[in-house]
């Protein structure tokens, strides 16, 4: 038997001997920290890897308990164990919530079949200093291995603001701290966590004069701030309705209507004299547009105390509740919701069930 085998035999197995009624016990389980990041930032989600040495086998499950942590939050502890012989490697994920944190005391418990035996070992925690970032103005509060805007859309909210809705995905991040600047109102529409990936739908009501929206996050792989630029292109549903939706645009709408019908007539004359099909097609296009913008506004009645949502989704933010029955202008319809313009010119969605019956 080699020297290493003899060492493992006497160090990692139970030796039972009756000596005046006492039992001599050798340790079965050993713990140590295998890996802790050298640099940790405040609000960062970071991994801590445990090295677990188990003499023998036969245990059914492993449990973990945490005590005496300071300014730290357990984020994910279900990472599968990696096994290399008698060595087990378990990675835990924590969030640093201050500039001084303490990784908690960790107790690992081996439970044998039918609870016939339980073995436990405790590893004392470690106090660490973290780095507080000095972020730029447009920092969204997120530290991540990577973050990207999957898709986004801007629509009118009222005369002075647009509603920006973003689908954001981040890897190993503190996505719950996401926020944006220059927003009159903002919040989460939904959050989905499939660790380490997080996906959110976030809304922000921003000034309508903003044509490029900047979001900055901190990339923990590259240790630097990275910018995401969103060109804001707003499709205004109100353009397709009658001009009385926005009285200030009455003359503008009239000019567009006259121009469309004039061009339609001009191309129709061109077709009559030149007999070219392209003139007929252009006459139909401009004529159709002229008819489209002159279609009367559809109006609907919404019941008293109806919820008005930012988006046409079940869990969307409610931003208004009408105190009396209202007749409002209808813009669109989608997924059981009707898009409307309120008397103060704000745009929102109401459930079809809250539309008055004729």
């Amino acid at each position: 038997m080699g020297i290493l085998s003899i060492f493992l035999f006497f160090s990692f197995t139970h030796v039972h001997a009756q000596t005046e009624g006492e039992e001599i016990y050798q340790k079965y389980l050993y713990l140590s920290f295998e890996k802790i990041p050298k640099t940790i930032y405040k609000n960062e989600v970071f991994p801590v890897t445990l090295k677990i040495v188990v003499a023998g086998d036969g245990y059914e499950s492993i449990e973990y308990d945490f005590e005496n942590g300071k300014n730290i939050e357990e984020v994910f502890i279900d990472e599968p164990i990696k096994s290399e012989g008698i060595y087990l490697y378990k990675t835990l994920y924590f969030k640093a919530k201050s500039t001084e944190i303490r990784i908690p005391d960790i107790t690992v418990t081996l439970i044998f079949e039918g609870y016939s035996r339980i073995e436990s070992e405790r590893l004392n925690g470690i106090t660490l200093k973290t780095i507080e970032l000095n972020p730029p103005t447009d920092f969204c509060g997120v530290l991540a291995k990577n973050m990207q805007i999957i898709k986004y859309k801007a629509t009118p909210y009222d005369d002075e603001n647009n509603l920006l809705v973003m689908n954001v995905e981040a890897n190993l991040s503190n996505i719950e701290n996401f926020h944006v600047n220059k927003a009159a109102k903002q919040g989460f529409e939904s959050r989905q966590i499939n660790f380490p990936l997080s996906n959110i739908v976030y809304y922000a009501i921003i000034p309508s004069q903003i044509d490029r929206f900047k979001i900055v996050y901190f990339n923990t792989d590259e240790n630097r701030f990275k910018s995401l630029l969103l060109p804001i292109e707003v499709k205004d549903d109100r353009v397709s309705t009658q001009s009385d939706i926005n009285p200030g645009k009455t003359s503008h709408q009239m000019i567009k209507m006259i121009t469309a019908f004039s061009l339609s007539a001009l191309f129709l004359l061109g077709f009559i004299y030149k007999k070219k099909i392209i003139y007929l097609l252009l006459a139909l296009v401009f004529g159709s547009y002229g008819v489209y913008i002159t279609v009367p506004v559809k109006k609907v009645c919404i019941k008293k105390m109806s919820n008005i949502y930012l988006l046409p989704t079940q869990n969307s933010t409610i931003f208004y509740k009408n105190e009396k029955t209202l007749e409002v202008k209808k813009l669109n319809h989608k997924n059981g919701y009707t898009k409307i313009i309120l008397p103060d010119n704000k745009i929102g969605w109401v459930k079809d069930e809250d539309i008055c019956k004729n």
Side-chain angles (χ1 to χ4, degrees), residues 176-189:
E176 66 278 2
N177 292 121
F178 186 91
H179 65 275
V180 297
N181 295 315
K182 304 173 185 176
K185 188 176 181 180
Q186 59 183 293
F188 292 92
E189 286 291 294

Side-chain angles (χ1 to χ4, degrees), residues 146-197:
N146 183 53
M147 189 181 86
Q148 57 183 328
I149 310 295
I150 304 299
K151 59 183 178 180
Y152 69 97
K153 184 178 181 181
T155 57
Y157 175 72
D158 57 28
D159 289 339
E160 298 179 352
N161 298 281
N162 291 325
L163 171 63
L164 176 63
V165 180
M166 299 167 283
N167 185 349
V168 185
E169 185 177 84
N171 185 15
L172 195 60
S173 71
N174 60 325
I175 198 70
E176 66 278 2
N177 292 121
F178 186 91
H179 65 275
V180 297
N181 295 315
K182 304 173 185 176
K185 188 176 181 180
Q186 59 183 293
F188 292 92
E189 286 291 294
S190 67
R191 275 188 280 186
Q192 294 181 340
I193 309 297
N194 186 19
F195 194 86
L197 288 179

Side-chain angles (χ1 to χ4, degrees), residues 234-284:
V234 180
K235 181 180 179 181
D236 194 341
D237 290 336
R238 293 174 292 187
V239 172
S240 64
T241 61
Q242 196 176 30
S243 59
D244 66 345
I245 291 178
N246 191 339
K249 294 186 178 180
T250 302
S251 60
H252 182 61
Q253 289 289 101
M254 184 63 68
I255 290 170
K256 289 199 295 184
M257 182 181 65
I258 293 172
T259 301
F261 284 130
S262 297
L263 288 172
S264 178
L266 183 63
F267 283 114
L268 184 58
L269 288 172
F271 171 71
I272 293 172
Y273 286 103
K274 298 291 186 179
K275 306 299 183 184
K276 291 186 177 180
I277 194 66
I278 186 65
Y279 290 138
L280 179 60
L281 292 175
L282 289 171
L284 291 174

Side-chain angles (χ1 to χ4, degrees), residues 68-110:
N68 304 319
K70 179 182 176 183
N71 298 323
I72 198 167
E73 177 184 336
E74 299 157 30
V75 174
F76 188 74
I77 63 171
D78 295 329
E79 183 93 354
I81 289 177
K82 294 180 180 179
S83 177
E84 296 180 10
I86 64 170
Y87 302 113
L88 304 178
Y89 297 95
K90 173 70 174 180
T91 300
L92 310 166
Y93 293 87
F94 298 94
K95 178 182 176 182
K97 302 180 72 175
S98 182
T99 53
E100 182 176 289
I101 63 172
R102 185 178 189 275
I103 295 175
D105 303 332
I106 302 173
T107 300
V108 175
T109 302
L110 301 181

Side-chain angles (χ1 to χ4, degrees), residues 96-229:
K97 302 180 72 175
S98 182
T99 53
E100 182 176 289
I101 63 172
R102 185 178 189 275
I103 295 175
D105 303 332
I106 302 173
T107 300
V108 175
T109 302
L110 301 181
I111 299 175
F112 292 79
E113 186 175 359
Y115 281 84
S116 60
R117 189 165 83 250
I118 296 176
E119 301 284 350
S120 293
E121 180 70 6
R122 185 185 182 95
L123 177 63
N124 290 330
I126 301 173
T127 298
L128 300 169
K129 295 286 186 181
T130 69
I131 299 172
E132 186 163 14
L133 296 171
N134 183 23
T137 304
D138 297 309
F139 181 50
C140 70
V142 173
L143 297 84
K145 288 174 67 68
N146 183 53
M147 189 181 86
Q148 57 183 328
I149 310 295
I150 304 299
K151 59 183 178 180
Y152 69 97
K153 184 178 181 181
T155 57
Y157 175 72
D158 57 28
D159 289 339
E160 298 179 352
N161 298 281
N162 291 325
L163 171 63
L164 176 63
V165 180
M166 299 167 283
N167 185 349
V168 185
E169 185 177 84
N171 185 15
L172 195 60
S173 71
N174 60 325
I175 198 70
E176 66 278 2
N177 292 121
F178 186 91
H179 65 275
V180 297
N181 295 315
K182 304 173 185 176
K185 188 176 181 180
Q186 59 183 293
F188 292 92
E189 286 291 294
S190 67
R191 275 188 280 186
Q192 294 181 340
I193 309 297
N194 186 19
F195 194 86
L197 288 179
S198 303
N199 187 288
I200 65 169
V201 175
Y202 198 84
Y203 78 90
I205 297 172
I206 62 174
S208 54
Q209 64 266 28
I210 294 178
D211 57 4
R212 297 183 73 192
F213 198 77
K214 184 179 180 182
I215 297 175
V216 177
Y217 79 99
F218 187 80
N219 187 296
T220 52
D221 267 358
E222 301 178 18
N223 290 312
R224 68 184 182 95
F225 291 101
K226 297 188 75 170
S227 299
L228 304 174
L229 289 176

